[in-house]
């Protein structure tokens, strides 16, 4: 073998090694057996609360549907983001187009690890980065509740993304950076139960941080600026700072809870934008859950606004 | 003298037309709506006793304000940006949907006045119907700015 042959062979080997490392590092990781064993039998009654806390309908209901039709979950809305257009899939009980054929383990792997039953990564437009913090029992309860919802036939359209975002396998690296089931905000020992309950709801099922936290270049949440607000992922405008920091929420805990229940600020301005659907879901929770989220928001570290100051247009 | 007065009136009219500020006007209208809603909300929440006269005042004010919401006057072309407006581009991109949202607000406030709620339960129904218009319209037609 000549020099060039040896070099080529070395390059091939190095390439193969790199591919192997990529393949191993990006492998979709399913839930460990210990968590699967905690799933247990779900309770549909308890699962309804998780369903509203999680806001499944906000993305997966048919666009513009109202009332009972919100419980059909055919997907099909379009999320226009800088990465491309994401189309939430059908998560109704239809066995072919939806998730009617899934086991509770399939469901938990999707929710808590972003892995499909076929073993592929989901895109994090589906907020499994938050759902990863959920209690296995709550996931099992949610599964049981969703079993009581209708089967709605019809597959949603595919996502429309550009390269390199079309390579799902690459999400394995992204998950190594950003997927964690640990709480974001560390409270000292002895923090009130209400604050901890709020942390669970806000950081887990409620997935507040997905819109209210700025994202870095790779689209991961900047946890050092948690809930400090962000440029809206879709369209113009911003998502507000909801920390007690400069530019953030100055409302009392009961005013925050009132807002989540009624959609009105203390000044009687109203909820708007994507928060309209979120607030409708929050209004369906027990009062203690809204109180818990409010207590959490009063207790989290203050940050200045996570979005640039608005420049008035010259006209 | 009469001519001078006419000239002054004409000038004042022209000035007001030139300096008409639809952004300030629509913001004042929205603030007034918020104030009216805020005046009856404590009754709905059970923090204040039912007061039929106060309720009718607020509902009437909302119905009158709804009638003033003419997109050609308050959201004319050219007022998409400027000041601290938070009106969304969708107002001008989808005027039919915006008009439909305004028409719903007109209908719901007129119905609330016609219903003339005489007790708390009746008020809750009308308040809920009117209030749904706030978020319903702000969902698509308002954006938050930093």
């Amino acid at each position: 073998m000549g020099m060039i042959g040896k070099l080529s062979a070395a390059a091939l080997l190095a390439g193969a090694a790199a591919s192997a490392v990529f393949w191993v590092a990006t492998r979709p990781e399913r839930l460990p057996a210990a968590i699967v064993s905690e799933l247990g039998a779900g309770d549909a009654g308890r699962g309804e609360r998780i369903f509203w806390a999680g806001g499944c309908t906000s993305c997966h209901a048919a666009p513009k549907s109202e009332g009972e039709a919100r419980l059909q979950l055919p997907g099909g809305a379009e999320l226009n983001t800088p990465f491309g257009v994401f189309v939430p899939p059908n998560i109704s009980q239809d066995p072919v187009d939806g998730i009617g054929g899934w086991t509770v383990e399939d469901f938990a792997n999707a929710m808590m690890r972003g892995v499909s039953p076929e073993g592929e990564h989901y895109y994090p437009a589906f907020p499994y980065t938050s759902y990863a913090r959920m209690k296995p029992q709550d996931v099992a309860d949610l599964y049981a509740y969703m079993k009581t919802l209708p089967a709605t036939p019809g597959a949603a359209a595919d996502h429309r993304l550009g390269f390199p975002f079309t390579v799902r396998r690459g999400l394995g690296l992204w998950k190594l950076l950003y997927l964690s089931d640990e709480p974001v905000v560390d409270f000292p020992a002895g923090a009130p139960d209400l604050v901890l309950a709020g942390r669970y709801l806000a950081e887990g099922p409620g997935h507040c941080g997905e819109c209210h936290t700025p994202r870095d270049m790779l689209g991961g949440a900047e946890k050092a600026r948690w809930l400090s607000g962000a440029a809206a992922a879709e369209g113009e405008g911003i998502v507000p700072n909801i920390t007690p920091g400069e530019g953030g929420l100055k409302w009392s805990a009961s005013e925050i809870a009132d807002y989540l229940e009624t959609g009105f600020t203390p000044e009687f301005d109203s909820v708007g934008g994507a928060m309209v659907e979120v607030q409708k879901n929050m209004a369906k929770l027990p009062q203690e859950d809204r109180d818990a989220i409010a207590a959490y928001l009063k207790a989290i570290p203050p940050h200045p606004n996570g979005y640039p100051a608005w420049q008035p247009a010259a006209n | 003298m009469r001519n001078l007065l006419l000239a002054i009136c004409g000038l004042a009219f022209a000035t007001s037309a030139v300096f008409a500020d639809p952004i300030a006007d629509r913001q004042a209208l929205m603030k007034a709506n918020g104030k009216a809603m805020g005046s009856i909300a404590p009754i709905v929440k059970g923090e204040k006793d039912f007061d039929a006269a106060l309720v009718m005042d607020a509902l009437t004010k909302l119905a009158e304000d709804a009638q003033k919401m003419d997109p050609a006057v308050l959201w004319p072309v050219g007022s998409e940006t400027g000041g601290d407006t938070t009106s969304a581009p969708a107002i001008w991109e989808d005027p039919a949907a915006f008009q439909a949202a305004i028409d719903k607000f007109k209908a719901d406030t007129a119905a609330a006045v016609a219903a003339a709620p005489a007790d708390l339960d009746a008020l809750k129904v009308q308040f809920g119907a009117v209030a749904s218009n706030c978020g319903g319209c702000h969902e698509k037609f308002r954006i938050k700015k930093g």
Side-chain angles (χ1 to χ4, degrees), chain A residues 64 236-240 258 262 264 267-274 276-277 280 305 307-310 312-315, chain B residues 33-35 37-38 41-42 45 47 78 81-85 89 127 131 134-136 138-140 142-146:
Chain A
K64 295 184 178 167
E236 291 185 53
I238 58 102
V239 180
D258 270 359
T262 67
F264 285 106
E267 299 81 33
F268 277 85
D269 193 353
S270 89
V271 61
V276 171
E277 282 299 330
K280 282 185 199 166
N305 294 339
Y307 46 83
W310 176 56
N315 69 332
Chain B
N33 285 342
K35 204 175 157 203
M37 290 302 282
K45 278 198 244 170
E47 293 167 4
T81 57
D84 56 353
T85 184
F127 184 85
C134 306
H138 290 159
E139 180 170 15
K140 188 172 172 195
R142 183 183 66 180
I143 50 172
K144 280 262 178 204
K145 287 181 178 171

Side-chain angles (χ1 to χ4, degrees), chain A residues 168-195:
Chain A
R168 279 183 189 261
R169 189 81 190 196
L171 283 165
L173 294 176
W174 191 91
K175 286 181 177 177
L176 289 176
L177 290 171
Y178 300 113
L179 183 59
S180 161
D181 52 16
E182 293 294 315
V184 178
V185 178
D186 233 350
F187 290 110
D193 285 348
L194 197 63
V195 169

Side-chain angles (χ1 to χ4, degrees), chain A residues 41-49 140-148:
Chain A
D43 178 301
R46 287 196 309 250
E48 184 179 2
R49 167 176 161 256
D141 290 345
L142 176 59
Y143 174 82
Y145 174 69
M146 289 177 73
K147 278 280 167 206
T148 69

Side-chain angles (χ1 to χ4, degrees), chain A residues 201-271:
Chain A
L201 286 168
E203 297 185 2
H207 65 282
C208 311
E210 303 288 342
C211 292
H212 284 279
T213 299
R215 291 178 182 273
D216 60 21
M217 293 289 288
L218 295 174
E222 291 187 55
K223 289 176 184 164
R225 299 202 284 164
W226 186 245
L227 299 182
S228 66
E234 286 192 283
E236 291 185 53
I238 58 102
V239 180
N241 181 356
I242 52 172
T243 75
E246 184 69 35
L249 278 185
K250 298 295 177 231
W251 308 340
S252 70
S254 69
E255 286 171 337
I256 297 171
D258 270 359
Y259 170 81
L260 294 174
E261 184 184 3
T262 67
F264 285 106
T265 73
E267 299 81 33
F268 277 85
D269 193 353
S270 89
V271 61

Side-chain angles (χ1 to χ4, degrees), chain A residues 45-97:
Chain A
R46 287 196 309 250
E48 184 179 2
R49 167 176 161 256
I50 302 300
F51 181 78
W52 297 119
C56 315
T57 61
S58 299
C59 285
H60 292 278
K64 295 184 178 167
S65 54
E66 299 276 349
E68 279 292 297
R70 302 289 298 168
L71 294 176
Q72 295 176 5
L73 301 165
E78 297 204 336
L79 308 178
N80 284 291
T81 77
F83 301 99
V85 178
F86 291 101
V87 184
N90 184 330
I91 58 163
S92 79
Q93 292 301 309
D94 189 278
V96 179
D97 297 325

Side-chain angles (χ1 to χ4, degrees), chain A residues 27-51:
Chain A
R27 189 176 48 205
E29 285 285 345
R30 295 174 69 85
L31 286 167
I35 292 186
V36 173
S37 70
E38 285 178 53
L39 288 170
D43 178 301
R46 287 196 309 250
E48 184 179 2
R49 167 176 161 256
I50 302 300
F51 181 78

